[in-house]
Amino acid sequence: MPIDPNIALGAELPAREFAWAPSDVQHYNLALGAGGRWTDARELRYLDDRTPQVLPTFATVAPSFHETEPPKVQFPGIDIDLAKVVHGSQEIVVHRPIPASGKATMTGRISELWDKGAAAVVWQEHTAVGSDGEPLWTARSSIFAKGEGGFGGDRGPSTKTELPDRAPDYDVLTPTLTQQALLYRMCGDRNPLHSDPEFARNAGFPNPILHGLCTYGLVCKTATDTVLDSDAARVKGFRARFAGVLYPGETIRSRIWQQDGELIIAATVVEREDAPVLADVVLTYA
């Protein structure tokens, strides 16, 4: 079914209730490589049995953490083959530190539709409200759907975050494991693009790729550990555009510029001549 902007744009998405526990947070943090510095007290805060600290990026998996079926790209006025879809961008703004356990209700809508001609970009916006009635976080995300453009919509803006014209304040390497995608998919994202070699080849990749949201979380953790003394509660927001793929076992290079309560980050793949993997990356902090 082609995209019907008259139905899709502004459509309310079904509300969902969800809960999480410290073990879920620990699992997520392990899927981002937490524990690599296994005797470092700052690192072990991510893996505390009762109150593991929570990165804002946990918000991307918390609502669907226990799902075991591949996701479906089906919304009002939208029905797209999963093999045509890649994550476009992601932003999380936290309204208060995310607790190590809790319950929340999430509501959302299709906020924007962009027609790129050969492809479509679908934006969603979600807000999670805790069981106390107070907001926890707001998430904005986009998906890029190949072959789904041409419905007559706006192309959308062409904006990007400019990197400072100076050497970065930090230049950090983050290795990934060959089994990184298999670990991360246990956080509720069972898209076979990240685990099934045949599915990946049919989608145009030589091998399964790492989840974009895993790369997103890895870079957020790297910046938090490097600049903010591994204090996740200081992170107020994190946004990025997915600019390329990362294969499990490759190394992320994060060049970080610090300025005015923000970290501007360029994330590239070391093994492929610093090919971009995340762009327009900004972490805001207190």
Side-chain angles (χ1 to χ4, degrees):
M1 179 184 77
I3 292 174
D4 185 340
N6 294 319
I7 296 175
L9 187 59
E12 298 293 326
L13 302 174
R16 62 190 306 175
E17 296 181 352
F18 59 98
W20 65 98
S23 59
D24 299 324
V25 176
Q26 288 176 302
H27 188 154
Y28 175 73
N29 290 339
L30 284 168
L32 299 183
R37 304 189 310 278
W38 59 283
T39 60
D40 185 328
R42 294 174 303 174
E43 179 79 355
L44 293 175
R45 286 186 291 184
Y46 289 107
L47 301 171
D48 184 86
D49 283 334
R50 294 187 178 182
T51 56
Q53 68 168 350
V54 186
L55 286 161
T57 55
F58 178 70
T60 63
V61 301
S64 56
F65 197 93
H66 298 287
E67 293 183 1
T68 57
E69 295 297 321
K72 294 181 180 179
V73 190
Q74 295 177 342
F75 311 112
I78 298 172
D79 190 350
I80 303 172
D81 181 355
L82 183 62
K84 294 182 177 181
V85 171
V86 294
H87 209 137
S89 58
Q90 181 72 51
E91 179 178 7
I92 297 292
V93 175
V94 289
H95 305 297
R96 51 179 165 145
I98 301 173
S101 61
K103 296 180 179 180
T105 300
M106 188 170 70
T107 57
R109 64 189 179 93
I110 303 296
S111 58
E112 297 176 65
L113 288 174
W114 298 349
D115 187 346
K116 298 294 187 181
V121 179
V122 181
W123 282 89
Q124 300 178 55
E125 182 171 313
H126 293 90
T127 298
V129 175
S131 56
D132 60 359
E134 296 297 322
L136 282 165
W137 66 76
T138 298
R140 276 176 44 83
S141 63
S142 70
I143 56 172
F144 187 89
K146 295 177 286 186
E148 297 295 330
F151 53 84
D154 193 316
R155 283 190 60 84
S158 297
T159 58
K160 65 177 183 177
T161 300
E162 296 292 341
L163 299 178
D165 187 19
R166 59 181 174 84
D169 298 299
Y170 306 90
D171 196 331
V172 192
L173 299 182
T174 305
T176 65
L177 302 171
T178 54
Q179 66 268 40
Q180 198 88 51
L182 300 177
L183 284 167
Y184 189 84
R185 72 190 297 269
M186 303 303 289
C187 298
D189 188 340
R190 303 302 179 97
N191 187 337
L193 179 62
H194 310 294
S195 59
D196 184 331
E198 183 176 357
F199 186 95
R201 285 192 291 271
N202 289 337
F205 300 99
N207 287 303
I209 63 175
L210 191 61
H211 304 69
L213 285 178
C214 184
T215 303
Y216 177 80
L218 283 161
V219 172
C220 183
K221 182 178 183 298
T222 293
T224 301
D225 293 346
T226 302
V227 186
L228 305 181
D229 196 33
S230 299
D231 186 355
R234 294 183 63 188
V235 183
K236 300 305 178 184
F238 188 63
R239 69 176 187 264
R241 177 173 57 84
F242 301 98
V245 300
L246 187 76
Y247 292 93
E250 292 185 320
T251 305
I252 304 169
R253 179 189 183 195
S254 296
R255 291 180 295 144
I256 305 171
W257 289 264
Q258 188 172 12
Q259 57 183 35
D260 300 327
E262 290 185 339
L263 303 179
I264 311 298
I265 306 169
T268 57
V269 187
V270 172
E271 290 82 356
R272 285 184 275 123
E273 299 180 341
D274 279 330
V277 62
L278 292 182
D280 300 333
V281 187
V282 178
L283 182 152
T284 57
Y285 67 94

PDB file of all heavy atoms in Angstrom, residues 152-176:
ATOM      1  N   GLY A 152       3.770  13.163  -3.468  1.00  0.00           N
ATOM      2  CA  GLY A 152       3.432  14.568  -3.607  1.00  0.00           C
ATOM      3  C   GLY A 152       3.619  15.411  -2.373  1.00  0.00           C
ATOM      4  O   GLY A 152       3.074  16.513  -2.286  1.00  0.00           O
ATOM      5  N   GLY A 153       4.433  14.936  -1.432  1.00  0.00           N
ATOM      6  CA  GLY A 153       4.646  15.685  -0.200  1.00  0.00           C
ATOM      7  C   GLY A 153       5.841  16.622  -0.277  1.00  0.00           C
ATOM      8  O   GLY A 153       6.560  16.687  -1.279  1.00  0.00           O
ATOM      9  N   ASP A 154       6.064  17.355   0.806  1.00  0.00           N
ATOM     10  CA  ASP A 154       7.195  18.268   0.944  1.00  0.00           C
ATOM     11  C   ASP A 154       8.496  17.457   1.018  1.00  0.00           C
ATOM     12  O   ASP A 154       8.526  16.387   1.632  1.00  0.00           O
ATOM     13  CB  ASP A 154       7.005  19.081   2.228  1.00  0.00           C
ATOM     14  CG  ASP A 154       7.947  20.259   2.316  1.00  0.00           C
ATOM     15  OD1 ASP A 154       9.134  20.098   2.013  1.00  0.00           O
ATOM     16  OD2 ASP A 154       7.479  21.352   2.706  1.00  0.00           O
ATOM     17  N   ARG A 155       9.572  17.973   0.414  1.00  0.00           N
ATOM     18  CA  ARG A 155      10.858  17.279   0.482  1.00  0.00           C
ATOM     19  C   ARG A 155      11.495  17.375   1.861  1.00  0.00           C
ATOM     20  O   ARG A 155      12.374  16.580   2.195  1.00  0.00           O
ATOM     21  CB  ARG A 155      11.835  17.841  -0.551  1.00  0.00           C
ATOM     22  CG  ARG A 155      11.591  17.370  -1.960  1.00  0.00           C
ATOM     23  CD  ARG A 155      12.738  17.777  -2.866  1.00  0.00           C
ATOM     24  NE  ARG A 155      14.013  17.206  -2.429  1.00  0.00           N
ATOM     25  CZ  ARG A 155      14.442  15.983  -2.731  1.00  0.00           C
ATOM     26  NH1 ARG A 155      13.677  15.176  -3.472  1.00  0.00           N
ATOM     27  NH2 ARG A 155      15.607  15.552  -2.314  1.00  0.00           N
ATOM     28  N   GLY A 156      11.098  18.340   2.665  1.00  0.00           N
ATOM     29  CA  GLY A 156      11.702  18.525   3.972  1.00  0.00           C
ATOM     30  C   GLY A 156      12.944  19.393   3.895  1.00  0.00           C
ATOM     31  O   GLY A 156      13.514  19.610   2.825  1.00  0.00           O
ATOM     32  N   PRO A 157      13.408  19.899   5.044  1.00  0.00           N
ATOM     33  CA  PRO A 157      14.565  20.793   5.057  1.00  0.00           C
ATOM     34  C   PRO A 157      15.869  20.039   4.831  1.00  0.00           C
ATOM     35  O   PRO A 157      15.950  18.832   5.021  1.00  0.00           O
ATOM     36  CB  PRO A 157      14.522  21.392   6.465  1.00  0.00           C
ATOM     37  CG  PRO A 157      13.859  20.327   7.300  1.00  0.00           C
ATOM     38  CD  PRO A 157      12.840  19.686   6.393  1.00  0.00           C
ATOM     39  N   SER A 158      16.886  20.774   4.422  1.00  0.00           N
ATOM     40  CA  SER A 158      18.234  20.221   4.277  1.00  0.00           C
ATOM     41  C   SER A 158      19.144  20.966   5.244  1.00  0.00           C
ATOM     42  O   SER A 158      19.719  22.003   4.911  1.00  0.00           O
ATOM     43  CB  SER A 158      18.741  20.377   2.837  1.00  0.00           C
ATOM     44  OG  SER A 158      17.938  19.642   1.939  1.00  0.00           O
ATOM     45  N   THR A 159      19.218  20.467   6.457  1.00  0.00           N
ATOM     46  CA  THR A 159      20.025  21.109   7.485  1.00  0.00           C
ATOM     47  C   THR A 159      21.036  20.121   8.025  1.00  0.00           C
ATOM     48  O   THR A 159      20.824  18.904   7.987  1.00  0.00           O
ATOM     49  CB  THR A 159      19.150  21.615   8.645  1.00  0.00           C
ATOM     50  OG1 THR A 159      18.426  20.494   9.200  1.00  0.00           O
ATOM     51  CG2 THR A 159      18.158  22.662   8.169  1.00  0.00           C
ATOM     52  N   LYS A 160      22.145  20.633   8.528  1.00  0.00           N
ATOM     53  CA  LYS A 160      23.133  19.773   9.151  1.00  0.00           C
ATOM     54  C   LYS A 160      23.877  20.540  10.230  1.00  0.00           C
ATOM     55  O   LYS A 160      23.926  21.776  10.212  1.00  0.00           O
ATOM     56  CB  LYS A 160      24.114  19.214   8.117  1.00  0.00           C
ATOM     57  CG  LYS A 160      24.994  20.253   7.448  1.00  0.00           C
ATOM     58  CD  LYS A 160      25.972  19.578   6.486  1.00  0.00           C
ATOM     59  CE  LYS A 160      26.917  20.595   5.839  1.00  0.00           C
ATOM     60  NZ  LYS A 160      27.907  19.924   4.962  1.00  0.00           N
ATOM     61  N   THR A 161      24.434  19.809  11.171  1.00  0.00           N
ATOM     62  CA  THR A 161      25.210  20.395  12.247  1.00  0.00           C
ATOM     63  C   THR A 161      26.653  20.565  11.775  1.00  0.00           C
ATOM     64  O   THR A 161      27.306  19.591  11.402  1.00  0.00           O
ATOM     65  CB  THR A 161      25.169  19.490  13.493  1.00  0.00           C
ATOM     66  OG1 THR A 161      23.808  19.339  13.914  1.00  0.00           O
ATOM     67  CG2 THR A 161      25.984  20.092  14.629  1.00  0.00           C
ATOM     68  N   GLU A 162      27.130  21.796  11.774  1.00  0.00           N
ATOM     69  CA  GLU A 162      28.491  22.066  11.342  1.00  0.00           C
ATOM     70  C   GLU A 162      29.477  21.697  12.445  1.00  0.00           C
ATOM     71  O   GLU A 162      29.264  22.002  13.620  1.00  0.00           O
ATOM     72  CB  GLU A 162      28.652  23.547  10.980  1.00  0.00           C
ATOM     73  CG  GLU A 162      27.807  23.999   9.798  1.00  0.00           C
ATOM     74  CD  GLU A 162      28.265  23.387   8.473  1.00  0.00           C
ATOM     75  OE1 GLU A 162      29.423  22.921   8.404  1.00  0.00           O
ATOM     76  OE2 GLU A 162      27.455  23.373   7.527  1.00  0.00           O
ATOM     77  N   LEU A 163      30.552  21.034  12.054  1.00  0.00           N
ATOM     78  CA  LEU A 163      31.598  20.702  13.012  1.00  0.00           C
ATOM     79  C   LEU A 163      32.468  21.929  13.256  1.00  0.00           C
ATOM     80  O   LEU A 163      32.742  22.702  12.337  1.00  0.00           O
ATOM     81  CB  LEU A 163      32.461  19.551  12.486  1.00  0.00           C
ATOM     82  CG  LEU A 163      31.728  18.230  12.226  1.00  0.00           C
ATOM     83  CD1 LEU A 163      32.697  17.197  11.662  1.00  0.00           C
ATOM     84  CD2 LEU A 163      31.081  17.705  13.504  1.00  0.00           C
ATOM     85  N   PRO A 164      32.916  22.142  14.487  1.00  0.00           N
ATOM     86  CA  PRO A 164      33.785  23.289  14.764  1.00  0.00           C
ATOM     87  C   PRO A 164      35.059  23.251  13.912  1.00  0.00           C
ATOM     88  O   PRO A 164      35.587  22.172  13.611  1.00  0.00           O
ATOM     89  CB  PRO A 164      34.109  23.122  16.253  1.00  0.00           C
ATOM     90  CG  PRO A 164      32.946  22.355  16.805  1.00  0.00           C
ATOM     91  CD  PRO A 164      32.563  21.401  15.708  1.00  0.00           C
ATOM     92  N   ASP A 165      35.540  24.431  13.557  1.00  0.00           N
ATOM     93  CA  ASP A 165      36.729  24.555  12.712  1.00  0.00           C
ATOM     94  C   ASP A 165      37.986  24.555  13.580  1.00  0.00           C
ATOM     95  O   ASP A 165      38.740  25.533  13.632  1.00  0.00           O
ATOM     96  CB  ASP A 165      36.639  25.831  11.877  1.00  0.00           C
ATOM     97  CG  ASP A 165      37.762  25.918  10.849  1.00  0.00           C
ATOM     98  OD1 ASP A 165      38.364  24.869  10.542  1.00  0.00           O
ATOM     99  OD2 ASP A 165      38.037  27.039  10.375  1.00  0.00           O
ATOM    100  N   ARG A 166      38.188  23.473  14.291  1.00  0.00           N
ATOM    101  CA  ARG A 166      39.372  23.288  15.128  1.00  0.00           C
ATOM    102  C   ARG A 166      39.514  21.810  15.448  1.00  0.00           C
ATOM    103  O   ARG A 166      38.608  21.012  15.153  1.00  0.00           O
ATOM    104  CB  ARG A 166      39.260  24.098  16.423  1.00  0.00           C
ATOM    105  CG  ARG A 166      38.036  23.751  17.285  1.00  0.00           C
ATOM    106  CD  ARG A 166      37.982  24.609  18.537  1.00  0.00           C
ATOM    107  NE  ARG A 166      36.768  24.404  19.309  1.00  0.00           N
ATOM    108  CZ  ARG A 166      36.582  23.435  20.204  1.00  0.00           C
ATOM    109  NH1 ARG A 166      37.564  22.542  20.433  1.00  0.00           N
ATOM    110  NH2 ARG A 166      35.444  23.326  20.873  1.00  0.00           N
ATOM    111  N   ALA A 167      40.637  21.456  16.000  1.00  0.00           N
ATOM    112  CA  ALA A 167      40.854  20.058  16.373  1.00  0.00           C
ATOM    113  C   ALA A 167      39.857  19.652  17.460  1.00  0.00           C
ATOM    114  O   ALA A 167      39.474  20.482  18.301  1.00  0.00           O
ATOM    115  CB  ALA A 167      42.277  19.864  16.874  1.00  0.00           C
ATOM    116  N   PRO A 168      39.400  18.402  17.457  1.00  0.00           N
ATOM    117  CA  PRO A 168      38.463  17.967  18.503  1.00  0.00           C
ATOM    118  C   PRO A 168      39.122  17.972  19.875  1.00  0.00           C
ATOM    119  O   PRO A 168      40.345  17.833  20.004  1.00  0.00           O
ATOM    120  CB  PRO A 168      38.083  16.554  18.072  1.00  0.00           C
ATOM    121  CG  PRO A 168      39.220  16.092  17.226  1.00  0.00           C
ATOM    122  CD  PRO A 168      39.731  17.310  16.523  1.00  0.00           C
ATOM    123  N   ASP A 169      38.293  18.130  20.894  1.00  0.00           N
ATOM    124  CA  ASP A 169      38.800  18.079  22.270  1.00  0.00           C
ATOM    125  C   ASP A 169      39.100  16.649  22.701  1.00  0.00           C
ATOM    126  O   ASP A 169      39.944  16.425  23.574  1.00  0.00           O
ATOM    127  CB  ASP A 169      37.776  18.699  23.214  1.00  0.00           C
ATOM    128  CG  ASP A 169      37.513  20.160  22.900  1.00  0.00           C
ATOM    129  OD1 ASP A 169      38.461  20.961  22.969  1.00  0.00           O
ATOM    130  OD2 ASP A 169      36.361  20.488  22.553  1.00  0.00           O
ATOM    131  N   TYR A 170      38.411  15.706  22.097  1.00  0.00           N
ATOM    132  CA  TYR A 170      38.615  14.288  22.407  1.00  0.00           C
ATOM    133  C   TYR A 170      38.524  13.498  21.107  1.00  0.00           C
ATOM    134  O   TYR A 170      37.746  13.843  20.210  1.00  0.00           O
ATOM    135  CB  TYR A 170      37.544  13.767  23.381  1.00  0.00           C
ATOM    136  CG  TYR A 170      37.425  14.569  24.658  1.00  0.00           C
ATOM    137  CD1 TYR A 170      36.547  15.657  24.736  1.00  0.00           C
ATOM    138  CD2 TYR A 170      38.173  14.244  25.783  1.00  0.00           C
ATOM    139  CE1 TYR A 170      36.426  16.399  25.892  1.00  0.00           C
ATOM    140  CE2 TYR A 170      38.062  14.984  26.955  1.00  0.00           C
ATOM    141  CZ  TYR A 170      37.190  16.060  26.999  1.00  0.00           C
ATOM    142  OH  TYR A 170      37.071  16.797  28.152  1.00  0.00           O
ATOM    143  N   ASP A 171      39.305  12.447  21.021  1.00  0.00           N
ATOM    144  CA  ASP A 171      39.296  11.564  19.853  1.00  0.00           C
ATOM    145  C   ASP A 171      39.369  10.146  20.403  1.00  0.00           C
ATOM    146  O   ASP A 171      40.416   9.705  20.899  1.00  0.00           O
ATOM    147  CB  ASP A 171      40.487  11.870  18.946  1.00  0.00           C
ATOM    148  CG  ASP A 171      40.343  11.270  17.553  1.00  0.00           C
ATOM    149  OD1 ASP A 171      39.675  10.220  17.436  1.00  0.00           O
ATOM    150  OD2 ASP A 171      40.909  11.825  16.599  1.00  0.00           O
ATOM    151  N   VAL A 172      38.234   9.436  20.374  1.00  0.00           N
ATOM    152  CA  VAL A 172      38.092   8.193  21.127  1.00  0.00           C
ATOM    153  C   VAL A 172      37.725   7.037  20.205  1.00  0.00           C
ATOM    154  O   VAL A 172      36.901   7.196  19.299  1.00  0.00           O
ATOM    155  CB  VAL A 172      36.991   8.334  22.211  1.00  0.00           C
ATOM    156  CG1 VAL A 172      37.041   7.156  23.176  1.00  0.00           C
ATOM    157  CG2 VAL A 172      37.129   9.651  22.956  1.00  0.00           C
ATOM    158  N   LEU A 173      38.323   5.877  20.443  1.00  0.00           N
ATOM    159  CA  LEU A 173      37.991   4.670  19.691  1.00  0.00           C
ATOM    160  C   LEU A 173      37.130   3.748  20.554  1.00  0.00           C
ATOM    161  O   LEU A 173      37.437   3.494  21.721  1.00  0.00           O
ATOM    162  CB  LEU A 173      39.259   3.935  19.257  1.00  0.00           C
ATOM    163  CG  LEU A 173      40.212   4.703  18.342  1.00  0.00           C
ATOM    164  CD1 LEU A 173      41.394   3.817  17.961  1.00  0.00           C
ATOM    165  CD2 LEU A 173      39.500   5.216  17.101  1.00  0.00           C
ATOM    166  N   THR A 174      36.047   3.242  19.967  1.00  0.00           N
ATOM    167  CA  THR A 174      35.158   2.303  20.654  1.00  0.00           C
ATOM    168  C   THR A 174      35.042   1.044  19.809  1.00  0.00           C
ATOM    169  O   THR A 174      34.354   1.039  18.775  1.00  0.00           O
ATOM    170  CB  THR A 174      33.757   2.918  20.850  1.00  0.00           C
ATOM    171  OG1 THR A 174      33.866   4.161  21.537  1.00  0.00           O
ATOM    172  CG2 THR A 174      32.863   1.963  21.639  1.00  0.00           C
ATOM    173  N   PRO A 175      35.708  -0.037  20.207  1.00  0.00           N
ATOM    174  CA  PRO A 175      35.575  -1.290  19.448  1.00  0.00           C
ATOM    175  C   PRO A 175      34.209  -1.916  19.681  1.00  0.00           C
ATOM    176  O   PRO A 175      33.588  -1.729  20.732  1.00  0.00           O
ATOM    177  CB  PRO A 175      36.690  -2.156  20.021  1.00  0.00           C
ATOM    178  CG  PRO A 175      36.915  -1.644  21.405  1.00  0.00           C
ATOM    179  CD  PRO A 175      36.616  -0.172  21.357  1.00  0.00           C
ATOM    180  N   THR A 176      33.713  -2.645  18.694  1.00  0.00           N
ATOM    181  CA  THR A 176      32.485  -3.420  18.869  1.00  0.00           C
ATOM    182  C   THR A 176      32.811  -4.902  18.758  1.00  0.00           C
ATOM    183  O   THR A 176      33.822  -5.290  18.167  1.00  0.00           O
ATOM    184  CB  THR A 176      31.414  -3.045  17.830  1.00  0.00           C
ATOM    185  OG1 THR A 176      31.870  -3.401  16.518  1.00  0.00           O
ATOM    186  CG2 THR A 176      31.114  -1.563  17.872  1.00  0.00           C
TER     187      THR A 176
END
